[in-house]
Amino acid sequence: MTALTERAVRPVLTVEDLSVVYDVANPVTAVKNVSLTLAPGEILGLAGESGCGKTTLAYAINRLHKPPARISSGSVTFSDADGSDIDLLALSDEKLRAFRWSKLSMVFQGAMNALNPVISIAAQLDDVLRTHRPGMSKAERRARGQDVLQRVGVDPKRLNSFPHELSGGMRQRVMIAMALILEPQVMIMDEPTTALDVVVQRDILREIIRLRDELNFAVIFITHDLPLLLEISDRIAIMLRGEIVELNSGEQIYRNPQHPYTQKLLGSFPSLTGDRGDFIRTGDHALTGDNR
Amino acid sequence: MSYFVRKLGFYLVALWAALTLNFLIPRLMPGNPVDVLLAKLQQRGGIVDAATRRSYELLLGGGTDEPIWVQYGNYLVNLAKGDLGIAVSVFPTPVSEVIGQALPWTIALVGIATILSFILGVGLGAIVGWKPGTWLDSLVPATTLLAAVPYFWLALILVLIISSTWQLLPGMGGYDVVLSPGWNTEFILSAIEYGTLPALTIVLSSIGGWLLGMRNMMVSTLSEDYILTAQAKGLRNSRILGGYAARNAALPSIAGFAISLGFVVSGSIITEQVFSYPGIGSKLLQAVQNSDYALMQGIFLVITLAVLGANLLVDLLYGIIDPRTRARS
Amino acid sequence: MTNLTPTTEPSVADADEALAATAREEGRKPRAGWRAMLPSMTPSLVIGFGIVAAIVLFGLLGPLFVQDPTTVRNSGLQPPGDGHLLGTTQTGQDVLAQLAFATRGSLEIGLIVGVLATLLSAFFGVLGAYLGGFADEAFSLFSNVMLVIPGLPLVIVISGFVPQEQRGLWTIAVVLAITGWAASARVLRAQTLSLRNRDYVAASRVAGERSWRVIAVEILPNLLPVIASQFVFAVIFAILSEAGLAFLGLGASNSSTLGTMLFYAQNGFALQLKAWWWFVPPGLIIALLGCGLSLINFSIDEIINPKLRNVRAHAKRMRIARKAAAR
Amino acid sequence: MTSVEVKNLTKEFHIRNGMKRSTLTAVDRVSFDLLPGRTVALVGESGSGKSTIARMLARLEKPTSGSIDVTLDDRTPVHGSVYRRHVQMVFQDPFASLNPFHSIEHHVARPLKIHRRTRGAAETHERVVHMLERVNLSPAEDIAARRPHELSGGQRQRVAIARALAPGAQVLIADEPVSMLDVSIRLGVLNLMARLQREDNLAVLYITHDLATARHFSDEILVLYRGRVVERGPADSVILNPQHDYTKLLAASAPDPERMGKLVRATGAPDRSGIDNSVSFNHYTGEWTSLDKRPVPVS
Amino acid sequence: SASGSGSSGGSGSGSASDTLVAYTGQAGDYQINFNPYSPSTIGGPGEIFEPLFYYNQLQSGDPKPLLGTEFSWNEDGTVLSVTLRDGVKWSDGEDFTADDVAFSLNLLKENPAVNAIGFDGEVAVVDPTHVTITFPAPAFVNGPSILGRTWIVPEHLWKDIDPATDVVAEPVGTGPFVLGEFKAQAFRYDANPTYWDGEPELKHVRYVALSGNQAGADALAAGSIDWQTGPVPDMANVEKNYPGYKAVTVHMNQVALFTCSNAELGCEGPQTDPAVRQALYYAMDRDQINSLAFQDTAAEVSPGFALPERDAALLSDSLPEQTAPMSPDVDKATQILEAAGYAKGSDGIYAKDGVRLAMSVRVVTGWTDYITAVDLLAQQAKAVGIEITALQSSWNEWTEVRGLGEYQLLIDSVTQGPAADPYYMYNEFFSTANTGPVGQSVNPGFARFSDPEVDAALAALRTSNPTDVESRKPHYDIIQQKIAANLPYIPVLTGGTTSEYNAAKFSGWPTEEDLYAVPAVWSRPDSSQVFASLTPTGK
Ligand SMILES: Nc1ncnc2c1ncn2[C@@H]1O[C@H](COP(=O)(O)OP(=O)(O)OP(=O)(O)O)[C@@H](O)[C@H]1O
Ligand SMILES: Nc1ncnc2c1ncn2[C@@H]1O[C@H](COP(=O)(O)OP(=O)(O)OP(=O)(O)O)[C@@H](O)[C@H]1O
Ligand SMILES: [Mg+2]
Ligand SMILES: [Mg+2]
């Protein structure tokens, strides 16, 4: 892993100095001068408390932000495996449309709602293929759909199901399958497991890691669950009020957090198996300072 | 299954309630057909005296002495047999014949107009809602104003301008009476020509509701996650608009459409009055004015069946277009 | 490891603090509950409210200032001019005076129907949904049946059946209310069902609140925008339906409403005689009133569905931005 | 002081699934005691029946069978309207459990008025302010006048706790009280609850699916699986020495930075179909028992 | 064939120059029924099925021979002999004979349900052109109904027809027209080429269906109908407003305030006092009512209810005035009230024994002319201290309360009988036989008027030959005096029935100078007389 973090490899995604502003009555700069790189096959964790700008950053990378959000500065460059560089912020609408999903796909926060409730899973998978792979025959598309479902551990027989007929975990997997279907080089996952049962969550994480090993796509994994990130990420970026305050390997973040905020975040998770700390159930721990 | 059983149960209860109401209301109304027909005869210069009254009573059958529940039983039995009785206002024509003659006109005119305004309204609403906040949004208050205008007022003014002053379209009747009704081009063209203005007024006055409802639903739907996903998936806008946004946003409108389809039959009274259009609405008015219970009951029955039928249809349709319905029950 | 105590209190964003700070800064009195239920001032609300207020004032105060609307004169069908601001009818009655009284009558009908239909729909919609179980099944079946039973014919029949002496405005209003509440009840039921399962309703029950109080204090206030919107619809529905009935000669016969006024104008061949001052104003008042109420409803819609508000806010920003760019 | 004895609590739901009506046993013969000053944690996967137990304790739902006996120290039972004074609940979602229409003051003052804890508006107000201060909401006067949307999630959950304690509750049921809160303020709220518990000697039922906090904030843990208790015992022993397959799986699923990069790579998802919820391990006695409390041989 | 269709905004009857388009005022489209005995017949009487003679309700004098050429009564009015026209053929080619006449009359007797004229004679066929009818009692007054309102139908076809319940979709008659084509929106008569009086010059008549008066006026404005009877805007200037059209107004029916006048039969309210009715009679400003409510189409009315023009010879000299005063006489009205013991209250309304002179007038919703008239009456009555309030109701309800007598005042009109003789009107509206106690539905003795002297006079009229005017006049005098003194129906005006017709396209219309038939499009069999007299001008 360390090799990846040393930028020995040409990064697949480079974000430089990116800022996003919400043009509301009191404009909010939700993402401030963020720079990061993503190496092929790397899992980059992005952690931070609610509202720190994680989702906004993810949207901006794929230019999915809608007014009132506006990218006020910076650049996003996608370095294709074929060697070309794509300046995402300069793409025309049609080129951007073609770029999306085929090179960079996303799994959204609350993916349960990311599926269209009135059309079947098959049709939704098919939509992607029909748009991006116009040459494929119907049978091929169906086979491909079955294939990706299989990969994420969903019975391909469920292809004709409607979203409401699937459990939350299954829907999440379907979303991941959909993100995989074009074999993109980058996948952004925005809190893909937050609403799930720990056991199911674990299954899905395991699945993601396995697929990443198999297909070698890079992942930006967003969550506020730091312990989780520590388990799965190669590198972790800690975000605070729109800025990345610390970006380091998981090992470093855990053993040697630099920024006080990182330290606080780590302190917010009592250890499962570790010692019972002195602060537990005393009621006067320093962390209760946020009580106004 | 229970979804359908429950639905069926509802329809049966609704049907029974409507039938019973149907039975009761005319019996609670003032006037009786003999007096009304006599008065009518008298107005037209006919001679009216005791002999006339006697003969009319014999002809039309005076009040019956049977207890009300026997009448109710007979009524239900006759209905089940499809016998709607005789329409005294056009004695001795059977009610079913009167309705059979009027119904196609209403269904064609108001039905087509309703479908048209639904399609136009929902279509425009989808477009307006797709890009909310643009100049297209000004369509909304404009159509609302049209919807707030009393229908007959709008219709009369349009008749005055389009039909009387400009002589663009005929504003009276269902077809050129010189022609014989039948499935020939000439007649159909004439029927279309005569139906255009009435249909136009219906569309104008009802399009606003659809448009506004659809627009608001579009706005809500557009902020759903699956729309964003569809965009991230790099789908074409046309596909997102059709398959994702409008498809979901139209669901409540479709439920509303069922109800309005059902009311096609009853909603036509004013249209038919303004445009001297043949149809069920004018028959209903005729029945009410002549205390023609049987005709009234027959028309109510048709209206209720239409409403229930349309609802049933859309309930079933809904099961297809919104897969969640079946589970929700 | 996780039990490490941070050495310094981190200079961390504390949302709580920030929020409290802004509230303090602005130093305003926090908005009371009902205030948040008020629509925010938008152009459509201002225009709508202006129109409705003008018409209501006209209906309320107009009759005090105009001539006797029933006085007949031998000077029929005078166009607007001296003495008669809006001209006269065929029988020389002052159109303006009639308009004032008719507006009052129509507003009365609208108000009565609005109130009655709202009460009925709230009763059947909210109570049924809150109680659940059999009551809900029965109430919702009843409202569905009422919805399916054709309204206008029922109105025609019922209004023929009410005794003459009680005829008129109230009858028509009651009949319209009876036939017009069911759709709102369905909307309210759906809303109540979702509110009923909110935790705060459960919380108030856990606190020991009685059922009626849960409905009245915890649920109803949150339904206010929906109820207001249904009320506005009922008023529009009532005024339009009354006009339609009047056109068929089945209106509030012994009272003066905009519908009956139109009926007389229509029967007096106002349109054919090009007496626009007799035919146009009543229809226009109905249209304006309906339009004004709809505009108000747009703003209520924004409370019910905040996404609509965002659209408007966004459109406004875009306009400002475009203007700024142009400059 | 009030304690609660739950015996063989069972809840069945009748689900209409098409023409068939099937019965779902959401909670099956669950027994436990809530004693003053002690916290019992209820852990288990989603849908295992945790909330249903909470709702039955709060009398929002009627048990199908079994008993919930609330008694005072002198063993006099608590019945009727007094019940709600003694047993209160804190809901999972602080955003949904406060009525957006009413001020904070209303929320805290209502239980006081309902249970006649105060006389007169002035006293009520004073009491409201006092309650808010106890949950570290200050300036309390200012907060009392606000409405829920003007507070952060953590602040709201504090209001919810204040409301629950206002009538003088002795038994607090907390149904995932922090799962909707931001990580950085979760501990604050839990610590606050712990402090209040100590101060008032409350009996607390803490429902969560987060094993780590369950371990740190409770004395006893019950592991629920498909409506049944499959393991019970002192907090540490259940977590550190899980016996039942399901508890093991749960413990293994909880993220633990110490296992960085390990567990995820461990091959294959564990097979859950083989997990048996008809037997239960009791750490106090160290025995396996079947549902009807009969000891069963170690599997 | 759709020549010029759609060019007009009307019902698009773009009609040929030999087709007359008529609108009867019926609302809604037609339901086929050419059975002349059916109450809901849409056509046939006159145009297809002829009576023996044509009686003109507007002009006294001998009836016009149709299928009959002559008739005579025996001395006491119990035997009626009729000579029939020879050489008449049914439109299917069969010969018309006396047997058909006997069959038609017997049809009535055998089917009480269609015997609206109460025919009770015995018919004897003397020879193919002669029949005699024998009555059990003097039946002079039944002559016009039997001779003028009994539609002669062909025995060879009608022997299989149930006159009460069959609709007769393919009528065969002797009349000037045959049914051409039926459609619900319009039906057409074609000239009968074998008509005994020669094929009419008017080749086609088309009846169209519209939704009512408003539509009729619009269609007239669009030039798409040639004849209708009903109000149009600005009635006084039809010729100017509708180029080529003319209007004719006839005065037949007396508009009156009907009162439930007879306390003995159960009527209640101030109007049971004749003084109150008299006061109302004098309070009316008939000029104002005529101009504002009736567009000046109404005419003067006699308090004795004979028609001032048609019945001029029968008008009683002993009436207080020959026609009701056109302007109000407030002094006289108040004088009558005060003489009857009424005193004016502080509110300006008279009262006696604590009962205020306050009454309600029933009026049918939508009958705007009557509603306006009532509004005017209310204002005028107020001037003499009587309070009148209008109560509008549906026609059904109004009909019901009128029949039951459960009203105080209502506005309606008194209608005439089958011939130009006031006897019929008196007999219908004023005889004890046609009324009954309040609560029993009667028609048309709505006012509950009952006077033995009037009944006796009517009985005497029944047994005297209508041609013997001199002997009848004294009886009419009695009736008129009684009526004028009692005023059970307070006369307002003689209503005008205005018809508009296309004078440019057809000539030969009835005019006010030559009212050879009632010129109302809905009046049967008068309309057939008009059609038979019209000649297309070719325009
Ligand atoms: N439409 C908007 N208008 C104004 N401000 C917005 C809007 N959307 C987001 N913001 C602000 O931008 C900031 C970042 O929001 P974002 O959704 O990116 O946070 P996040 O890190 O994804 O939070 P979470 O963990 O809750 O998903 C927040 O402070 C939020 O208040
Ligand atoms: N009102 C109800 N009707 C039918 N089934 C119900 C009802 N309430 C709960 N259930 C079912 O009972 C089971 C237990 O639900 P419960 O809400 O108690 O689970 P939980 O442990 O609280 O889950 P979570 O962690 O997701 O909150 C679930 O299968 C649920 O679907
Ligand atoms: Mg986010
Ligand atoms: Mg739960």
Side-chain angles (χ1 to χ4, degrees), chain A residues 54-56 109 190-191 222:
Chain A
K54 305 182 294 287
T55 302
T56 309
Q109 193 166 5
D190 189 356
E191 312 205 9
I222 300 175

Side-chain angles (χ1 to χ4, degrees), chain B residues 199-253:
Chain B
L200 185 75
T201 57
I202 298 176
V203 170
L204 271 185
S205 65
S206 58
I207 198 168
W210 300 122
L211 196 152
L212 184 66
M214 184 63 184
R215 180 235 178 223
N216 286 357
M217 273 314 290
M218 274 300 271
V219 170
S220 304
T221 308
L222 283 180
S223 58
E224 294 286 346
D225 286 344
Y226 53 83
I227 300 293
L228 190 77
T229 311
Q231 281 166 341
K233 272 155 71 174
L235 300 186
R236 294 192 174 79
N237 273 343
S238 55
R239 174 73 189 145
I240 300 177
L241 175 60
Y244 289 67
R247 172 97 196 252
N248 282 286
L251 291 177
S253 298

Side-chain angles (χ1 to χ4, degrees), chain D residues 32-104:
Chain D
F32 57 88
D33 296 328
L34 296 178
L35 299 173
R38 284 177 61 82
T39 302
V40 175
L42 213 48
V43 298
E45 67 173 347
S46 184
S48 57
K50 306 184 294 291
S51 296
T52 308
I53 292 175
R55 293 172 68 82
M56 285 191 286
L57 279 171
R59 293 211 165 162
L60 286 169
E61 206 100 61
K62 274 207 181 68
T64 309
S65 67
S67 62
I68 301 172
D69 295 317
V70 180
T71 48
L72 299 180
D73 281 346
D74 53 5
R75 313 283 314 154
T76 45
V78 174
H79 286 306
S81 62
V82 215
Y83 186 93
R84 297 221 134 117
R85 189 201 292 172
H86 288 264
V87 182
Q88 282 289 323
M89 179 160 168
V90 176
F91 289 84
Q92 172 180 21
D93 185 353
F95 296 85
S97 67
L98 300 180
N99 191 336
F101 188 80
H102 293 298
S103 67
I104 300 305

Side-chain angles (χ1 to χ4, degrees), chain E residues 42-102:
Chain E
I42 58 167
E47 283 85 3
I48 295 174
F49 299 102
E50 289 183 298
L52 296 169
F53 294 85
Y54 169 67
Y55 281 84
N56 184 352
Q57 288 167 283
L58 292 175
Q59 284 171 345
S60 45
D62 289 335
K64 177 181 171 190
L66 292 175
L67 289 176
T69 51
E70 273 171 42
F71 70 89
S72 63
W73 287 98
N74 70 349
E75 192 65 16
D76 58 358
T78 53
V79 178
L80 175 62
S81 313
V82 186
T83 309
L84 302 176
R85 192 175 294 281
D86 200 9
V88 175
K89 282 198 187 307
W90 296 103
S91 58
D92 63 355
E94 297 277 328
D95 285 330
F96 159 80
T97 67
D99 288 335
D100 291 316
V101 176

Side-chain angles (χ1 to χ4, degrees), chain E residues 45-303:
Chain E
E47 283 85 3
I48 295 174
F49 299 102
E50 289 183 298
L52 296 169
F53 294 85
Y54 169 67
Y55 281 84
N56 184 352
Q57 288 167 283
L58 292 175
Q59 284 171 345
S60 45
D62 289 335
K64 177 181 171 190
L66 292 175
L67 289 176
T69 51
E70 273 171 42
F71 70 89
S72 63
W73 287 98
N74 70 349
E75 192 65 16
D76 58 358
T78 53
V79 178
L80 175 62
S81 313
V82 186
T83 309
L84 302 176
R85 192 175 294 281
D86 200 9
V88 175
K89 282 198 187 307
W90 296 103
S91 58
D92 63 355
E94 297 277 328
D95 285 330
F96 159 80
T97 67
D99 288 335
D100 291 316
V101 176
F103 173 80
S104 301
L105 286 166
N106 286 329
L107 196 72
L108 296 186
K109 256 176 60 179
E110 284 157 23
N111 294 282
V114 298
N115 192 1
I117 61 169
F119 174 71
D120 57 356
E122 290 287 336
V123 193
V125 176
V126 180
D127 62 44
T129 57
H130 287 89
V131 290
T132 56
I133 306 164
T134 315
F135 298 92
F140 289 119
V141 293
N142 293 341
S145 340
I146 294 164
L147 298 172
R149 296 281 168 125
T150 300
W151 322 106
I152 307 302
V153 296
E155 182 178 14
H156 65 278
L157 296 173
W158 276 65
K159 59 182 191 293
D160 306 320
I161 283 178
D162 180 346
T165 57
D166 287 348
V167 293
V168 191
E170 289 163 4
V172 170
T174 58
F177 292 91
V178 294
L179 179 62
E181 176 189 42
F182 174 83
K183 286 173 289 205
Q185 282 267 283
F187 66 89
R188 194 186 71 223
Y189 288 139
D190 293 338
N192 180 1
T194 61
Y195 187 50
W196 52 262
D197 200 19
E199 182 179 350
E201 296 195 42
L202 177 62
K203 295 304 174 209
H204 307 284
V205 177
R206 174 175 292 119
Y207 283 90
V208 293
L210 297 173
S211 63
N213 284 345
Q214 290 287 323
D218 288 342
L220 197 73
S224 53
I225 55 179
D226 298 318
W227 188 20
Q228 75 140 358
T229 301
V232 291
D234 195 12
M235 216 117 77
N237 296 307
V238 167
E239 266 180 78
K240 197 178 102 216
N241 296 339
Y242 306 92
Y245 284 81
K246 285 197 170 132
V248 58
T249 301
V250 291
H251 302 106
M252 274 178 39
N253 301 332
Q254 295 94 336
V255 177
L257 270 187
F258 289 23
T259 68
C260 190
S261 63
N262 194 341
E264 280 169 32
L265 285 177
C267 294
E268 283 167 19
Q271 84 288 351
T272 50
D273 182 350
V276 174
R277 304 199 288 266
Q278 291 284 355
L280 275 174
Y281 171 80
Y282 285 112
M284 291 180 191
D285 181 347
R286 294 185 169 79
D287 271 331
Q288 191 186 37
I289 294 174
N290 195 5
S291 92
L292 291 182
F294 300 121
Q295 294 198 51
D296 280 323
T297 56
E300 296 193 316
V301 69
S302 159

Side-chain angles (χ1 to χ4, degrees), chain C residues 154-180:
Chain C
L154 198 66
V155 174
I156 294 175
V157 170
I158 298 180
S159 51
F161 151 66
V162 178
Q164 173 67 52
E165 286 68 23
Q166 288 103 55
R167 196 74 51 79
L169 208 134
W170 268 91
T171 311
I172 296 289
V174 168
V175 169
L176 287 176
I178 287 175
T179 53

Side-chain angles (χ1 to χ4, degrees), chain A residues 185-205:
Chain A
Q185 294 161 44
V186 176
M187 211 192 270
I188 299 177
M189 299 190 164
D190 189 356
E191 312 205 9
T193 57
T194 310
L196 299 175
D197 203 297
V198 274
V199 181
V200 180
Q201 179 177 347
R202 182 71 23 177
D203 289 350
I204 289 180
L205 289 177

